């Protein structure tokens, strides 16, 4: 069958690597090949990809390697292994949980600040409110009104939570899966940052909750009325009020987001496995210790006793942590689970997988990327860049026109994001470009190789840079907007 053919080909390609590759790396390769084939087939939920024996033979790997690969595939909720008669690896419908948790892990580790977080929200959420006003259905109206009613019913409770369902729901109602997922991540990050705030008198909490409810109601009224401009204005004012609240009440020495990254209720549902729960708890223990890279959390024996689990369950949990570069297991004397320096690719891959399942369109990404890149340009201009910035960006623009160029045009955009200094916007931009790249690969598209096309890209980048260096944010944003429109047409 088609799946078998695709996976056999992938297995043959890995033949030269099988003998020498570390188990973890080989398992990751197998997992990625399975996931790629699921996407190529159109994500046929419920379809069997083969039994464990079939898959081992197809890839030419051991049971332990295959099971680690399946663990990663299950972690991404691409497929699940069903044991027993008529069992096998079956394609499943994912949800946003692994994607949002993956981004949260990385963003917390790199020290995302509250100003970075709120800047990203101000760029994306008002846009979602405007789209929701255009696309709202009667079911959407009922959902928003139910959220408002639930808020009213809980006004007398003491606690305050910034992780309410209102903001992600507006993202969902925008009809743009990219905005929805990004806003979900931002809302979760805001809620965790709020946990670093000092205790607040009950009267202040009640006042804040009432103000939040009124702001939500005003935004909902505008969305239902189809008044996108008013909805955006109301939501912007509300987000600015949230920013002011956090700045006033946060614990001053806590400059960055901290706290439990993976909440137990997110992973202990009916679809969760023990390894997911254990990975979450280990990560929270690492967070509580201050994330000291290179420190030893404990030996395998000590961790088994601490979490009261089997060796097999612990090793599955460790593989998840290793995949996200949270920690790695070092064997032998003096070994144990070592805290590691994270890197973003696992987060990007996980997010890209989920959005691929959502069948995101080029237009969806254009809207989100447009907002992100214009925000980046504005931030760079506000920083009043000098000669060092000009030198960095000119070096990227003038990279030699040799070899594969599909990803090279992205380097200017990535360098701008790095200069802007907002890790959230930089990561969201990387996710956007990764999805475009995967789309191109699936469609057998290649970046234009003729010198004229490459020169034109360089010229456009230079014109954007000229406007940035002159301090003209409006002109720089105009040029970036036109450039992104041209790129979107090419990807179609």
């Amino acid at each position: 069958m088609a799946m078998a053919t695709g996976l056999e080909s992938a297995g043959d390609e890995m033949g030269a690597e099988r003998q020498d590759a570390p188990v973890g790396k080989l398992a990751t390769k197998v997992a990625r090949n399975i996931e790629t084939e699921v996407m190529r087939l159109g994500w046929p939920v419920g379809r069997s990809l083969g039994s464990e024996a079939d898959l081992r033979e197809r890839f030419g790997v051991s049971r332990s390697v295959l099971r680690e690969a399946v663990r990663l595939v299950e972690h991404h909720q691409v497929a699940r292994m069903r044991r027993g008669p008529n069992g096998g690896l079956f394609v499943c419908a994912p949800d946003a949980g692994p994607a949002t948790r993956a981004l949260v892990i990385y963003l917390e580790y790199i020290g995302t600040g509250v100003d970075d977080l709120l800047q990203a929200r101000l760029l994306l959420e008002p846009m979602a409110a405007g789209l929701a006003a255009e696309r709202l259905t009667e079911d959407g109206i009922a959902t928003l009104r139910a959220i408002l009613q639930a808020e009213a019913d809980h006004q007398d409770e003491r606690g305050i939570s910034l992780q309410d369902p209102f903001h992600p729901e507006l993202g969902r109602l925008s009809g743009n899966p990219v905005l929805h997922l990004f806003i979900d991540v931002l809302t979760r990050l805001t809620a965790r940052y709020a946990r670093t705030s000092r205790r607040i008198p009950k009267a202040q909490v009640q006042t804040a909750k009432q103000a939040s409810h009124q702001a939500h109601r005003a935004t909902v009224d505008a969305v239902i009325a189809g008044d996108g401009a008013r909805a955006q204005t109301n939501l912007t004012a509300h987000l600015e009020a949230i920013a002011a609240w956090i700045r006033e009440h946060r614990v001053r020495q806590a400059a960055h987001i901290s706290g439990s990254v993976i909440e137990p209720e997110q992973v202990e549902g009916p679809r969760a496995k023990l390894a997911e729960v254990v990975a979450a708890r280990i990560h929270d223990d690492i967070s509580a210790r201050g994330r000291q890279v290179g420190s030893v959390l404990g030996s395998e024996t000590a961790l088994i006793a601490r979490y009261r689990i089997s060796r097999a369950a612990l090793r599955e949990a460790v593989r998840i942590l290793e995949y996200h570069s949270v920690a790695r297991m070092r064997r032998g004397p003096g070994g144990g689970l070592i805290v590691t320096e994270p890197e973003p690719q696992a987060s990007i891959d996980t997010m890209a997988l989920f959005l691929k399942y959502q069948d995101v369109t080029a237009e969806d990404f254009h809207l989100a990327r447009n907002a992100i890149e214009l925000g980046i340009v504005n931030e760079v201009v506000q920083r009043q860049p000098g000669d060092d910035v000009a030198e960095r960006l000119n070096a990227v623009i003038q990279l030699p026109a040799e070899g594969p160029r599909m990803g090279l045009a992205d380097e200017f955009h990535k360098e701008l994001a790095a200069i802007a200094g907002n890790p959230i916007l930089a990561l969201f931009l990387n996710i956007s470009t990764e999805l475009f790249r995967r789309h191109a690969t699936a469609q057998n598209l290649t970046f234009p190789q003729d010198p004229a096309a490459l020169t034109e890209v360089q010229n456009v980048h230079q014109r954007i840079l000229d406007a940035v260096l002159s301090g003209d944010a409006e002109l720089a944003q105009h040029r970036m907007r036109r450039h992104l429109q041209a790129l979107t047409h090419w990807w179609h």
Side-chain angles (χ1 to χ4, degrees), residues 191-202:
R192 264 196 316 283
Y193 195 94
R195 293 184 190 134
T196 69
S197 299
R198 60 174 59 90
R199 289 184 61 83
I200 303 164
K202 182 177 180 181

Side-chain angles (χ1 to χ4, degrees), residues 36 40 52 97 112 118 132 166 257 430 452 461:
T36 297
R40 187 177 297 130
E52 182 179 277
T112 302
L118 294 168
F166 175 75
I257 297 168
N430 282 341
H461 288 170

Side-chain angles (χ1 to χ4, degrees), residues 56-338:
R56 283 180 55 201
E57 180 179 358
R58 207 169 293 161
F59 288 105
V61 295
S62 66
R63 177 180 282 107
S64 62
V65 169
L66 180 68
R67 288 186 173 178
E68 288 193 15
V70 168
R71 175 65 261 161
L72 291 178
V73 172
E74 290 180 326
H75 175 59
H76 286 158
Q77 297 185 358
V78 173
R80 287 197 176 276
M81 183 64 77
R82 186 185 305 163
R83 308 294 177 183
N86 301 317
L89 190 62
F90 289 84
V91 179
C92 62
D95 60 38
T100 56
R101 291 195 293 272
L103 265 85
V104 162
I105 287 170
Y106 177 69
L107 289 171
E108 185 201 37
Y109 262 113
I110 60 177
T112 302
V114 65
D115 292 333
D116 300 326
L117 173 60
L118 294 168
Q119 179 192 22
R121 293 190 68 171
L122 283 166
L123 284 174
L124 299 178
E125 292 196 43
M127 177 189 296
L131 290 171
E134 297 176 7
R135 302 172 178 180
L136 192 65
T137 64
E138 290 195 12
D139 285 343
I141 292 173
T143 299
L144 289 174
R145 286 176 171 170
I147 289 173
L148 292 177
Q149 185 59 54
E151 288 180 357
D153 291 343
H154 293 86
Q155 284 291 303
D156 293 334
E157 294 182 1
R158 179 176 176 80
I160 184 169
S161 172
L162 296 178
Q163 190 179 343
D164 57 63
F166 175 75
H167 296 270
E169 185 61 26
L170 271 185
R172 187 185 73 82
L173 294 174
S174 73
N176 186 315
V178 185
L179 287 177
H180 181 203
L181 197 50
F182 285 176
I183 289 169
D184 189 21
V185 170
L186 294 172
T187 305
R188 293 174 189 270
L189 285 168
T190 305
R192 264 196 316 283
Y193 195 94
R195 293 184 190 134
T196 69
S197 299
R198 60 174 59 90
R199 289 184 61 83
I200 303 164
K202 182 177 180 181
Q204 289 188 35
V205 170
Q206 294 301 107
T207 300
K209 292 178 72 171
Q210 290 169 7
S212 178
H213 178 65
Q214 291 169 1
H216 289 177
R217 182 171 294 281
T219 302
V220 169
D221 289 344
V223 168
I224 293 175
D227 191 340
R230 180 159 58 95
Q232 292 185 56
T233 299
N234 290 341
L235 189 57
T236 297
H238 175 44
L239 291 171
E240 289 172 345
I242 290 176
W245 168 271
I246 291 179
R247 291 190 183 102
E248 179 182 356
H249 295 95
R250 67 182 177 180
V251 178
R252 297 302 173 185
Q253 64 268 28
H256 297 112
I257 297 168
S258 63
S260 174
V261 170
I262 309 177
E263 293 82 357
E265 62 269 21
Q266 290 180 289
V267 295
E268 292 182 354
R271 297 183 65 181
K273 284 197 170 185
L274 179 59
E276 301 277 354
V277 178
V278 174
R281 290 175 176 165
I282 292 174
H283 184 276
D284 288 345
D285 283 349
I286 293 172
S287 298
R289 294 181 177 212
R291 293 174 185 78
Q292 300 172 353
V293 173
S295 64
V296 181
L297 191 64
S299 67
E300 185 174 75
T301 300
L303 294 173
I304 289 171
R306 183 183 307 168
Y307 297 105
R308 300 180 181 179
I309 55 173
S310 68
R311 189 177 305 276
L314 176 66
R315 289 182 174 178
E316 284 192 27
V318 168
R319 177 60 62 216
I320 294 172
L321 296 172
E322 289 178 333
Y323 178 77
H324 289 291
S325 299
V326 171
R328 65 179 176 83
M329 184 63 77
R330 184 169 64 198
R331 309 294 176 184
L337 191 61
I338 312 298

Side-chain angles (χ1 to χ4, degrees), residues 3 7 31-45 49 76 78 91-92 94 349-359 434-435 438-439 441-443:
M3 172 60 79
L7 292 180
R32 286 177 178 169
N33 277 292
I34 292 172
E35 292 166 352
T36 297
E37 192 62 25
V38 168
M39 290 186 286
R40 187 177 297 130
L41 289 172
W43 215 299
V45 174
L49 306 181
H76 286 158
V78 173
V91 179
C92 62
D349 289 343
T350 306
M351 184 71 87
L353 271 172
F354 178 73
L355 290 174
K356 180 65 177 178
Y357 173 73
Q358 294 288 311
D359 197 23
E434 177 70 15
L435 259 292
R438 293 186 183 202
H439 170 75
T441 300
Q443 300 298 321

